[in-house]
Amino acid sequence: MTDRFTGTDRYVATDDLTLAVNAAITLERPLLIKGEPGTGKSMLAVEVARALGKPLIEWHIKSTTKAQQGLYEYDAVARLRDSQLGDARVHDIGNYIVKGKLWQAFEADDTPVLLIDEVDKADIEFPNDLLLELDRMEFHVYETQQTVRAQRRPIVIITSNNEKDLPDAFLRR
């Protein structure tokens, strides 16, 4: 295992792509990979994780995906149902917080590779909504009044099929 990506037996990376991946790892910055569907963008994250011996966390974006889902979701309906049934779990709001992919990446014991796949499928605000969390590597959980901080920066690989233009602020980072 190494901290440098050189391609794998299943993924031949160009020199430029290898340089970009290793720069993102060294600088601890997200890497945006843009290209046509089916060109191996998502597979790059899989192979980077495999080559470096890191866990892979995959977040596949859909048109309905909101950035908040990557952090966490509060299941108020389950809590209401449990309160009506007299379940003792209802007294701890933490029982109704579902960790998102970013939270999982922030808590990982080993530096994970976080794939945010097809970021351009979501609405135009989605990438901007992630900027602060990706920059600071932390977010606040309002329901429990806790701040979740990354134990270590994940290796973030973001893919785009060029279906929509991404916001300039997102591209600059």
PDB file of all heavy atoms in Angstrom, residues 135-166:
ATOM      1  N   ASP A 135     -14.911  22.437   2.603  1.00  0.00           N
ATOM      2  CA  ASP A 135     -13.790  23.297   2.971  1.00  0.00           C
ATOM      3  C   ASP A 135     -13.401  23.119   4.434  1.00  0.00           C
ATOM      4  O   ASP A 135     -12.232  22.937   4.762  1.00  0.00           O
ATOM      5  CB  ASP A 135     -14.128  24.773   2.734  1.00  0.00           C
ATOM      6  CG  ASP A 135     -13.994  25.171   1.281  1.00  0.00           C
ATOM      7  OD1 ASP A 135     -13.410  24.405   0.501  1.00  0.00           O
ATOM      8  OD2 ASP A 135     -14.485  26.263   0.926  1.00  0.00           O
ATOM      9  N   ARG A 136     -14.373  23.190   5.311  1.00  0.00           N
ATOM     10  CA  ARG A 136     -14.105  23.137   6.752  1.00  0.00           C
ATOM     11  C   ARG A 136     -13.958  21.722   7.306  1.00  0.00           C
ATOM     12  O   ARG A 136     -13.406  21.534   8.378  1.00  0.00           O
ATOM     13  CB  ARG A 136     -15.226  23.828   7.522  1.00  0.00           C
ATOM     14  CG  ARG A 136     -15.243  25.311   7.343  1.00  0.00           C
ATOM     15  CD  ARG A 136     -16.225  25.927   8.293  1.00  0.00           C
ATOM     16  NE  ARG A 136     -16.260  27.370   8.120  1.00  0.00           N
ATOM     17  CZ  ARG A 136     -17.148  28.155   8.675  1.00  0.00           C
ATOM     18  NH1 ARG A 136     -18.076  27.644   9.452  1.00  0.00           N
ATOM     19  NH2 ARG A 136     -17.123  29.443   8.470  1.00  0.00           N
ATOM     20  N   MET A 137     -14.523  20.752   6.587  1.00  0.00           N
ATOM     21  CA  MET A 137     -14.526  19.368   7.047  1.00  0.00           C
ATOM     22  C   MET A 137     -15.222  19.234   8.405  1.00  0.00           C
ATOM     23  O   MET A 137     -14.771  18.486   9.278  1.00  0.00           O
ATOM     24  CB  MET A 137     -13.114  18.779   7.103  1.00  0.00           C
ATOM     25  CG  MET A 137     -12.539  18.507   5.739  1.00  0.00           C
ATOM     26  SD  MET A 137     -13.334  17.077   4.975  1.00  0.00           S
ATOM     27  CE  MET A 137     -13.316  17.540   3.268  1.00  0.00           C
ATOM     28  N   GLU A 138     -16.327  19.966   8.540  1.00  0.00           N
ATOM     29  CA  GLU A 138     -17.157  19.855   9.729  1.00  0.00           C
ATOM     30  C   GLU A 138     -18.535  20.411   9.418  1.00  0.00           C
ATOM     31  O   GLU A 138     -18.718  21.146   8.446  1.00  0.00           O
ATOM     32  CB  GLU A 138     -16.548  20.596  10.921  1.00  0.00           C
ATOM     33  CG  GLU A 138     -16.564  22.097  10.802  1.00  0.00           C
ATOM     34  CD  GLU A 138     -16.011  22.797  12.037  1.00  0.00           C
ATOM     35  OE1 GLU A 138     -15.087  22.251  12.675  1.00  0.00           O
ATOM     36  OE2 GLU A 138     -16.514  23.885  12.350  1.00  0.00           O
ATOM     37  N   PHE A 139     -19.493  20.017  10.247  1.00  0.00           N
ATOM     38  CA  PHE A 139     -20.848  20.560  10.143  1.00  0.00           C
ATOM     39  C   PHE A 139     -21.533  20.417  11.494  1.00  0.00           C
ATOM     40  O   PHE A 139     -21.089  19.663  12.361  1.00  0.00           O
ATOM     41  CB  PHE A 139     -21.658  19.885   9.034  1.00  0.00           C
ATOM     42  CG  PHE A 139     -21.881  18.410   9.241  1.00  0.00           C
ATOM     43  CD1 PHE A 139     -22.998  17.944   9.920  1.00  0.00           C
ATOM     44  CD2 PHE A 139     -20.972  17.487   8.746  1.00  0.00           C
ATOM     45  CE1 PHE A 139     -23.207  16.582  10.106  1.00  0.00           C
ATOM     46  CE2 PHE A 139     -21.170  16.124   8.929  1.00  0.00           C
ATOM     47  CZ  PHE A 139     -22.293  15.671   9.609  1.00  0.00           C
ATOM     48  N   HIS A 140     -22.611  21.154  11.669  1.00  0.00           N
ATOM     49  CA  HIS A 140     -23.350  21.176  12.931  1.00  0.00           C
ATOM     50  C   HIS A 140     -24.651  20.386  12.782  1.00  0.00           C
ATOM     51  O   HIS A 140     -25.347  20.514  11.784  1.00  0.00           O
ATOM     52  CB  HIS A 140     -23.656  22.621  13.328  1.00  0.00           C
ATOM     53  CG  HIS A 140     -24.250  22.759  14.680  1.00  0.00           C
ATOM     54  ND1 HIS A 140     -23.521  22.562  15.836  1.00  0.00           N
ATOM     55  CD2 HIS A 140     -25.508  23.044  15.077  1.00  0.00           C
ATOM     56  CE1 HIS A 140     -24.312  22.734  16.874  1.00  0.00           C
ATOM     57  NE2 HIS A 140     -25.520  23.031  16.441  1.00  0.00           N
ATOM     58  N   VAL A 141     -24.955  19.575  13.791  1.00  0.00           N
ATOM     59  CA  VAL A 141     -26.216  18.831  13.840  1.00  0.00           C
ATOM     60  C   VAL A 141     -27.125  19.595  14.802  1.00  0.00           C
ATOM     61  O   VAL A 141     -26.917  19.562  16.011  1.00  0.00           O
ATOM     62  CB  VAL A 141     -26.002  17.372  14.323  1.00  0.00           C
ATOM     63  CG1 VAL A 141     -27.324  16.614  14.339  1.00  0.00           C
ATOM     64  CG2 VAL A 141     -24.970  16.669  13.447  1.00  0.00           C
ATOM     65  N   TYR A 142     -28.093  20.281  14.256  1.00  0.00           N
ATOM     66  CA  TYR A 142     -28.922  21.181  15.062  1.00  0.00           C
ATOM     67  C   TYR A 142     -29.764  20.434  16.087  1.00  0.00           C
ATOM     68  O   TYR A 142     -29.945  20.904  17.215  1.00  0.00           O
ATOM     69  CB  TYR A 142     -29.810  22.033  14.154  1.00  0.00           C
ATOM     70  CG  TYR A 142     -28.987  22.949  13.289  1.00  0.00           C
ATOM     71  CD1 TYR A 142     -28.687  22.613  11.979  1.00  0.00           C
ATOM     72  CD2 TYR A 142     -28.443  24.117  13.805  1.00  0.00           C
ATOM     73  CE1 TYR A 142     -27.890  23.431  11.195  1.00  0.00           C
ATOM     74  CE2 TYR A 142     -27.641  24.941  13.028  1.00  0.00           C
ATOM     75  CZ  TYR A 142     -27.376  24.592  11.732  1.00  0.00           C
ATOM     76  OH  TYR A 142     -26.568  25.400  10.961  1.00  0.00           O
ATOM     77  N   GLU A 143     -30.257  19.270  15.721  1.00  0.00           N
ATOM     78  CA  GLU A 143     -31.134  18.522  16.622  1.00  0.00           C
ATOM     79  C   GLU A 143     -30.432  18.047  17.884  1.00  0.00           C
ATOM     80  O   GLU A 143     -31.044  17.960  18.945  1.00  0.00           O
ATOM     81  CB  GLU A 143     -31.758  17.313  15.888  1.00  0.00           C
ATOM     82  CG  GLU A 143     -32.748  17.678  14.813  1.00  0.00           C
ATOM     83  CD  GLU A 143     -32.097  18.090  13.490  1.00  0.00           C
ATOM     84  OE1 GLU A 143     -30.847  18.082  13.382  1.00  0.00           O
ATOM     85  OE2 GLU A 143     -32.845  18.424  12.557  1.00  0.00           O
ATOM     86  N   THR A 144     -29.148  17.721  17.773  1.00  0.00           N
ATOM     87  CA  THR A 144     -28.403  17.212  18.933  1.00  0.00           C
ATOM     88  C   THR A 144     -27.393  18.225  19.465  1.00  0.00           C
ATOM     89  O   THR A 144     -26.710  17.950  20.454  1.00  0.00           O
ATOM     90  CB  THR A 144     -27.643  15.915  18.571  1.00  0.00           C
ATOM     91  OG1 THR A 144     -26.710  16.202  17.528  1.00  0.00           O
ATOM     92  CG2 THR A 144     -28.609  14.817  18.144  1.00  0.00           C
ATOM     93  N   GLN A 145     -27.282  19.360  18.789  1.00  0.00           N
ATOM     94  CA  GLN A 145     -26.336  20.419  19.171  1.00  0.00           C
ATOM     95  C   GLN A 145     -24.889  19.924  19.211  1.00  0.00           C
ATOM     96  O   GLN A 145     -24.117  20.324  20.074  1.00  0.00           O
ATOM     97  CB  GLN A 145     -26.735  21.045  20.523  1.00  0.00           C
ATOM     98  CG  GLN A 145     -28.055  21.780  20.482  1.00  0.00           C
ATOM     99  CD  GLN A 145     -28.048  22.906  19.455  1.00  0.00           C
ATOM    100  OE1 GLN A 145     -27.185  23.755  19.475  1.00  0.00           O
ATOM    101  NE2 GLN A 145     -29.000  22.889  18.542  1.00  0.00           N
ATOM    102  N   GLN A 146     -24.524  19.065  18.275  1.00  0.00           N
ATOM    103  CA  GLN A 146     -23.147  18.589  18.203  1.00  0.00           C
ATOM    104  C   GLN A 146     -22.514  19.048  16.897  1.00  0.00           C
ATOM    105  O   GLN A 146     -23.210  19.284  15.908  1.00  0.00           O
ATOM    106  CB  GLN A 146     -23.079  17.064  18.335  1.00  0.00           C
ATOM    107  CG  GLN A 146     -23.500  16.324  17.077  1.00  0.00           C
ATOM    108  CD  GLN A 146     -23.499  14.820  17.236  1.00  0.00           C
ATOM    109  OE1 GLN A 146     -24.540  14.214  17.431  1.00  0.00           O
ATOM    110  NE2 GLN A 146     -22.332  14.221  17.140  1.00  0.00           N
ATOM    111  N   THR A 147     -21.212  19.175  16.923  1.00  0.00           N
ATOM    112  CA  THR A 147     -20.455  19.478  15.713  1.00  0.00           C
ATOM    113  C   THR A 147     -19.688  18.226  15.319  1.00  0.00           C
ATOM    114  O   THR A 147     -18.984  17.648  16.146  1.00  0.00           O
ATOM    115  CB  THR A 147     -19.483  20.650  15.950  1.00  0.00           C
ATOM    116  OG1 THR A 147     -20.261  21.811  16.302  1.00  0.00           O
ATOM    117  CG2 THR A 147     -18.664  20.949  14.709  1.00  0.00           C
ATOM    118  N   VAL A 148     -19.877  17.822  14.091  1.00  0.00           N
ATOM    119  CA  VAL A 148     -19.182  16.652  13.565  1.00  0.00           C
ATOM    120  C   VAL A 148     -17.974  17.158  12.786  1.00  0.00           C
ATOM    121  O   VAL A 148     -18.123  17.930  11.838  1.00  0.00           O
ATOM    122  CB  VAL A 148     -20.109  15.817  12.651  1.00  0.00           C
ATOM    123  CG1 VAL A 148     -19.344  14.664  12.023  1.00  0.00           C
ATOM    124  CG2 VAL A 148     -21.320  15.330  13.421  1.00  0.00           C
ATOM    125  N   ARG A 149     -16.780  16.753  13.218  1.00  0.00           N
ATOM    126  CA  ARG A 149     -15.537  17.154  12.554  1.00  0.00           C
ATOM    127  C   ARG A 149     -14.858  15.916  11.975  1.00  0.00           C
ATOM    128  O   ARG A 149     -14.835  14.861  12.608  1.00  0.00           O
ATOM    129  CB  ARG A 149     -14.588  17.803  13.558  1.00  0.00           C
ATOM    130  CG  ARG A 149     -15.004  19.173  13.969  1.00  0.00           C
ATOM    131  CD  ARG A 149     -13.978  19.863  14.873  1.00  0.00           C
ATOM    132  NE  ARG A 149     -14.484  21.138  15.322  1.00  0.00           N
ATOM    133  CZ  ARG A 149     -15.259  21.304  16.387  1.00  0.00           C
ATOM    134  NH1 ARG A 149     -15.596  20.275  17.131  1.00  0.00           N
ATOM    135  NH2 ARG A 149     -15.692  22.512  16.711  1.00  0.00           N
ATOM    136  N   ALA A 150     -14.275  16.099  10.822  1.00  0.00           N
ATOM    137  CA  ALA A 150     -13.552  14.994  10.189  1.00  0.00           C
ATOM    138  C   ALA A 150     -12.340  14.628  11.038  1.00  0.00           C
ATOM    139  O   ALA A 150     -11.577  15.503  11.443  1.00  0.00           O
ATOM    140  CB  ALA A 150     -13.105  15.384   8.788  1.00  0.00           C
ATOM    141  N   GLN A 151     -12.191  13.339  11.349  1.00  0.00           N
ATOM    142  CA  GLN A 151     -11.000  12.871  12.057  1.00  0.00           C
ATOM    143  C   GLN A 151      -9.781  13.046  11.160  1.00  0.00           C
ATOM    144  O   GLN A 151      -8.688  13.313  11.623  1.00  0.00           O
ATOM    145  CB  GLN A 151     -11.171  11.405  12.453  1.00  0.00           C
ATOM    146  CG  GLN A 151     -12.275  11.178  13.456  1.00  0.00           C
ATOM    147  CD  GLN A 151     -12.406   9.697  13.796  1.00  0.00           C
ATOM    148  OE1 GLN A 151     -11.458   8.924  13.723  1.00  0.00           O
ATOM    149  NE2 GLN A 151     -13.605   9.296  14.196  1.00  0.00           N
ATOM    150  N   ARG A 152      -9.989  12.855   9.875  1.00  0.00           N
ATOM    151  CA  ARG A 152      -8.962  13.063   8.851  1.00  0.00           C
ATOM    152  C   ARG A 152      -9.706  13.398   7.567  1.00  0.00           C
ATOM    153  O   ARG A 152     -10.833  12.975   7.371  1.00  0.00           O
ATOM    154  CB  ARG A 152      -8.086  11.825   8.673  1.00  0.00           C
ATOM    155  CG  ARG A 152      -8.836  10.569   8.313  1.00  0.00           C
ATOM    156  CD  ARG A 152      -8.130   9.271   8.620  1.00  0.00           C
ATOM    157  NE  ARG A 152      -7.604   9.115   9.936  1.00  0.00           N
ATOM    158  CZ  ARG A 152      -8.301   8.790  11.018  1.00  0.00           C
ATOM    159  NH1 ARG A 152      -9.588   8.604  10.934  1.00  0.00           N
ATOM    160  NH2 ARG A 152      -7.728   8.662  12.184  1.00  0.00           N
ATOM    161  N   ARG A 153      -9.074  14.182   6.728  1.00  0.00           N
ATOM    162  CA  ARG A 153      -9.726  14.578   5.474  1.00  0.00           C
ATOM    163  C   ARG A 153      -9.863  13.377   4.545  1.00  0.00           C
ATOM    164  O   ARG A 153      -8.865  12.730   4.223  1.00  0.00           O
ATOM    165  CB  ARG A 153      -8.911  15.653   4.761  1.00  0.00           C
ATOM    166  CG  ARG A 153      -9.122  17.024   5.311  1.00  0.00           C
ATOM    167  CD  ARG A 153      -8.451  18.061   4.413  1.00  0.00           C
ATOM    168  NE  ARG A 153      -8.774  19.384   4.883  1.00  0.00           N
ATOM    169  CZ  ARG A 153      -9.785  20.106   4.426  1.00  0.00           C
ATOM    170  NH1 ARG A 153     -10.544  19.626   3.484  1.00  0.00           N
ATOM    171  NH2 ARG A 153     -10.031  21.301   4.909  1.00  0.00           N
ATOM    172  N   PRO A 154     -11.078  13.091   4.098  1.00  0.00           N
ATOM    173  CA  PRO A 154     -11.226  12.017   3.117  1.00  0.00           C
ATOM    174  C   PRO A 154     -10.652  12.449   1.768  1.00  0.00           C
ATOM    175  O   PRO A 154     -10.513  13.647   1.495  1.00  0.00           O
ATOM    176  CB  PRO A 154     -12.744  11.826   3.020  1.00  0.00           C
ATOM    177  CG  PRO A 154     -13.349  13.065   3.560  1.00  0.00           C
ATOM    178  CD  PRO A 154     -12.361  13.685   4.486  1.00  0.00           C
ATOM    179  N   ILE A 155     -10.311  11.482   0.962  1.00  0.00           N
ATOM    180  CA  ILE A 155      -9.929  11.752  -0.421  1.00  0.00           C
ATOM    181  C   ILE A 155     -11.250  11.862  -1.175  1.00  0.00           C
ATOM    182  O   ILE A 155     -11.991  10.884  -1.281  1.00  0.00           O
ATOM    183  CB  ILE A 155      -9.058  10.610  -0.984  1.00  0.00           C
ATOM    184  CG1 ILE A 155      -7.767  10.488  -0.173  1.00  0.00           C
ATOM    185  CG2 ILE A 155      -8.772  10.829  -2.462  1.00  0.00           C
ATOM    186  CD1 ILE A 155      -6.981   9.209  -0.438  1.00  0.00           C
ATOM    187  N   VAL A 156     -11.574  13.061  -1.644  1.00  0.00           N
ATOM    188  CA  VAL A 156     -12.881  13.314  -2.259  1.00  0.00           C
ATOM    189  C   VAL A 156     -12.735  13.364  -3.775  1.00  0.00           C
ATOM    190  O   VAL A 156     -11.972  14.175  -4.312  1.00  0.00           O
ATOM    191  CB  VAL A 156     -13.492  14.633  -1.736  1.00  0.00           C
ATOM    192  CG1 VAL A 156     -14.851  14.888  -2.384  1.00  0.00           C
ATOM    193  CG2 VAL A 156     -13.608  14.614  -0.215  1.00  0.00           C
ATOM    194  N   ILE A 157     -13.477  12.494  -4.447  1.00  0.00           N
ATOM    195  CA  ILE A 157     -13.517  12.479  -5.905  1.00  0.00           C
ATOM    196  C   ILE A 157     -14.965  12.741  -6.308  1.00  0.00           C
ATOM    197  O   ILE A 157     -15.868  12.000  -5.914  1.00  0.00           O
ATOM    198  CB  ILE A 157     -12.997  11.155  -6.484  1.00  0.00           C
ATOM    199  CG1 ILE A 157     -11.513  10.975  -6.104  1.00  0.00           C
ATOM    200  CG2 ILE A 157     -13.197  11.112  -7.998  1.00  0.00           C
ATOM    201  CD1 ILE A 157     -10.895   9.674  -6.552  1.00  0.00           C
ATOM    202  N   ILE A 158     -15.158  13.811  -7.066  1.00  0.00           N
ATOM    203  CA  ILE A 158     -16.485  14.237  -7.509  1.00  0.00           C
ATOM    204  C   ILE A 158     -16.547  14.036  -9.014  1.00  0.00           C
ATOM    205  O   ILE A 158     -15.638  14.445  -9.735  1.00  0.00           O
ATOM    206  CB  ILE A 158     -16.721  15.716  -7.159  1.00  0.00           C
ATOM    207  CG1 ILE A 158     -16.541  15.946  -5.656  1.00  0.00           C
ATOM    208  CG2 ILE A 158     -18.103  16.168  -7.628  1.00  0.00           C
ATOM    209  CD1 ILE A 158     -16.485  17.403  -5.247  1.00  0.00           C
ATOM    210  N   THR A 159     -17.617  13.401  -9.485  1.00  0.00           N
ATOM    211  CA  THR A 159     -17.753  13.210 -10.930  1.00  0.00           C
ATOM    212  C   THR A 159     -18.901  14.048 -11.470  1.00  0.00           C
ATOM    213  O   THR A 159     -19.857  14.363 -10.762  1.00  0.00           O
ATOM    214  CB  THR A 159     -17.987  11.728 -11.305  1.00  0.00           C
ATOM    215  OG1 THR A 159     -19.283  11.326 -10.861  1.00  0.00           O
ATOM    216  CG2 THR A 159     -16.909  10.831 -10.731  1.00  0.00           C
ATOM    217  N   SER A 160     -18.779  14.412 -12.739  1.00  0.00           N
ATOM    218  CA  SER A 160     -19.812  15.164 -13.450  1.00  0.00           C
ATOM    219  C   SER A 160     -19.864  14.659 -14.887  1.00  0.00           C
ATOM    220  O   SER A 160     -18.829  14.471 -15.523  1.00  0.00           O
ATOM    221  CB  SER A 160     -19.481  16.654 -13.444  1.00  0.00           C
ATOM    222  OG  SER A 160     -20.322  17.357 -14.334  1.00  0.00           O
ATOM    223  N   ASN A 161     -21.082  14.467 -15.387  1.00  0.00           N
ATOM    224  CA  ASN A 161     -21.273  14.044 -16.780  1.00  0.00           C
ATOM    225  C   ASN A 161     -21.414  15.227 -17.734  1.00  0.00           C
ATOM    226  O   ASN A 161     -21.778  15.045 -18.896  1.00  0.00           O
ATOM    227  CB  ASN A 161     -22.514  13.158 -16.908  1.00  0.00           C
ATOM    228  CG  ASN A 161     -22.297  11.778 -16.337  1.00  0.00           C
ATOM    229  OD1 ASN A 161     -21.171  11.328 -16.204  1.00  0.00           O
ATOM    230  ND2 ASN A 161     -23.368  11.106 -15.990  1.00  0.00           N
ATOM    231  N   ASN A 162     -21.174  16.434 -17.228  1.00  0.00           N
ATOM    232  CA  ASN A 162     -21.312  17.647 -18.039  1.00  0.00           C
ATOM    233  C   ASN A 162     -22.736  17.858 -18.541  1.00  0.00           C
ATOM    234  O   ASN A 162     -22.943  18.459 -19.585  1.00  0.00           O
ATOM    235  CB  ASN A 162     -20.356  17.633 -19.236  1.00  0.00           C
ATOM    236  CG  ASN A 162     -18.947  17.945 -18.856  1.00  0.00           C
ATOM    237  OD1 ASN A 162     -18.692  18.671 -17.904  1.00  0.00           O
ATOM    238  ND2 ASN A 162     -18.005  17.381 -19.600  1.00  0.00           N
ATOM    239  N   GLU A 163     -23.726  17.334 -17.801  1.00  0.00           N
ATOM    240  CA  GLU A 163     -25.116  17.527 -18.205  1.00  0.00           C
ATOM    241  C   GLU A 163     -25.588  18.942 -17.891  1.00  0.00           C
ATOM    242  O   GLU A 163     -26.451  19.476 -18.572  1.00  0.00           O
ATOM    243  CB  GLU A 163     -26.019  16.499 -17.527  1.00  0.00           C
ATOM    244  CG  GLU A 163     -25.774  15.093 -18.032  1.00  0.00           C
ATOM    245  CD  GLU A 163     -26.611  14.043 -17.329  1.00  0.00           C
ATOM    246  OE1 GLU A 163     -27.464  14.406 -16.489  1.00  0.00           O
ATOM    247  OE2 GLU A 163     -26.415  12.856 -17.623  1.00  0.00           O
ATOM    248  N   LYS A 164     -25.033  19.528 -16.829  1.00  0.00           N
ATOM    249  CA  LYS A 164     -25.354  20.902 -16.443  1.00  0.00           C
ATOM    250  C   LYS A 164     -24.050  21.597 -16.084  1.00  0.00           C
ATOM    251  O   LYS A 164     -23.111  20.969 -15.617  1.00  0.00           O
ATOM    252  CB  LYS A 164     -26.230  20.928 -15.174  1.00  0.00           C
ATOM    253  CG  LYS A 164     -27.612  20.427 -15.330  1.00  0.00           C
ATOM    254  CD  LYS A 164     -28.362  20.688 -14.030  1.00  0.00           C
ATOM    255  CE  LYS A 164     -29.281  19.548 -13.698  1.00  0.00           C
ATOM    256  NZ  LYS A 164     -29.789  19.585 -12.356  1.00  0.00           N
ATOM    257  N   ASP A 165     -24.038  22.910 -16.278  1.00  0.00           N
ATOM    258  CA  ASP A 165     -22.880  23.684 -15.845  1.00  0.00           C
ATOM    259  C   ASP A 165     -22.876  23.749 -14.325  1.00  0.00           C
ATOM    260  O   ASP A 165     -23.922  23.919 -13.693  1.00  0.00           O
ATOM    261  CB  ASP A 165     -22.930  25.102 -16.420  1.00  0.00           C
ATOM    262  CG  ASP A 165     -22.666  25.124 -17.916  1.00  0.00           C
ATOM    263  OD1 ASP A 165     -21.984  24.209 -18.414  1.00  0.00           O
ATOM    264  OD2 ASP A 165     -23.151  26.063 -18.576  1.00  0.00           O
ATOM    265  N   LEU A 166     -21.701  23.608 -13.744  1.00  0.00           N
ATOM    266  CA  LEU A 166     -21.560  23.708 -12.295  1.00  0.00           C
ATOM    267  C   LEU A 166     -21.267  25.159 -11.919  1.00  0.00           C
ATOM    268  O   LEU A 166     -20.654  25.890 -12.693  1.00  0.00           O
ATOM    269  CB  LEU A 166     -20.432  22.772 -11.816  1.00  0.00           C
ATOM    270  CG  LEU A 166     -20.698  21.286 -12.060  1.00  0.00           C
ATOM    271  CD1 LEU A 166     -19.458  20.469 -11.768  1.00  0.00           C
ATOM    272  CD2 LEU A 166     -21.866  20.800 -11.223  1.00  0.00           C
TER     273      LEU A 166
END
